[in-house]
């Protein structure tokens, strides 16, 4: 999750700047810069996370979370009270090949086609502190009054 923002313009601009890390097709990049930017021009974005592999993005707003899916040009909005966090630390378990040693998920209770499922994980123990720091930011947002 990127640094928290207080200004409406600053949060949106930081998100658009960070989006440059993604190698997105022109059509998807334009969707973010024109359509998404227009829809969030008056909404404070407190933080964001971007999956640089596919451009999927989480926007952390005051009382809700938005999942942006650029490949389908879909925006999913989830009220904060429907968002949950699950963390699984498997450092002391027997693992099969390719199983993560640590996994966390933000998920929603909503209709199947509308569900949020944002997963971070690692098969490397040395990456766990970075994941724990991200989870701490999730928890701070979830518990913010």
């Amino acid at each position: 999750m990127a640094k928290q923002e207080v200004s409406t313009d600053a949060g949106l601009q930081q998100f658009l700047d960070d989006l440059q890390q993604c190698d997105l097709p022109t059509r998807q990049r334009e969707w973010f810069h024109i359509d998404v930017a227009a829809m969030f021009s008056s909404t404070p974005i407190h933080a964001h996370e971007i999956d640089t592999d596919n451009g999927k993005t989480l926007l952390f707003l005051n009382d809700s979370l938005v999942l942006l899916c650029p490949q389908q040009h879909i925006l999913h909005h989830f009220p904060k009270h429907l968002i949950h966090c699950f963390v699984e630390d498997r450092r002391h378990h027997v693992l099969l090949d390719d199983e993560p040693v640590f996994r966390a998920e933000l998920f929603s209770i909503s209709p199947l086609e509308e569900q949020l499922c944002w997963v971070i994980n690692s098969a490397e123990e040395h990456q766990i502190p970075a994941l724990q720091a991200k989870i701490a930011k999730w928890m701070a947002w979830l518990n913010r009054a």
Side-chain angles (χ1 to χ4, degrees):
M1 186 181 319
K3 182 181 170 190
Q4 288 205 349
E5 300 292 343
V6 291
S7 163
T8 302
D9 293 337
L12 177 60
Q13 190 57 54
Q14 184 64 51
F15 158 60
L16 294 173
D17 289 347
D18 290 349
L19 196 61
Q20 298 304 317
Q21 300 172 28
C22 299
D23 185 25
L24 297 174
T26 302
R27 187 169 159 226
Q28 291 176 21
R29 189 171 303 282
E30 288 174 352
W31 180 70
F32 277 119
H33 285 272
I34 297 169
D35 299 313
V36 172
M39 289 185 277
F40 289 93
S41 64
S42 299
T43 303
I45 298 172
H46 291 276
H48 63 271
E49 288 188 21
I50 301 170
D51 183 332
T52 55
D53 293 333
N54 58 28
K56 284 188 177 180
T57 301
L58 285 181
L59 300 180
F60 293 81
L61 310 178
N62 285 336
D63 298 314
S64 60
L65 188 68
V66 171
L67 174 64
L68 301 168
C69 303
Q71 293 154 338
Q72 301 87 9
H73 293 178
I74 294 176
L75 178 152
H76 300 274
H77 180 259
F78 304 96
K80 186 188 285 188
H81 70 277
L82 295 181
I83 305 297
H84 301 275
C85 182
F86 172 80
V87 179
E88 184 177 21
D89 185 344
R90 303 194 61 206
R91 286 179 278 189
H92 303 290
H93 294 107
V94 176
L95 301 174
L96 302 175
D97 291 338
D98 297 330
E99 282 190 320
V101 68
F102 195 87
R103 179 180 184 278
E105 178 180 342
L106 279 177
F107 63 96
S108 67
I109 299 173
S110 36
L112 183 61
E113 294 80 27
E114 302 290 324
Q115 287 182 354
L116 170 66
C117 181
W118 188 265
V119 176
I120 58 172
N121 62 54
S122 177
E124 307 288 333
E125 283 193 38
H126 67 86
Q127 294 175 335
I128 292 174
L131 297 180
Q132 289 170 328
K134 189 173 284 202
I135 294 163
K137 291 177 182 177
W138 291 355
M139 295 303 285
W141 177 82
L142 283 167
N143 289 294
R144 203 181 83 225

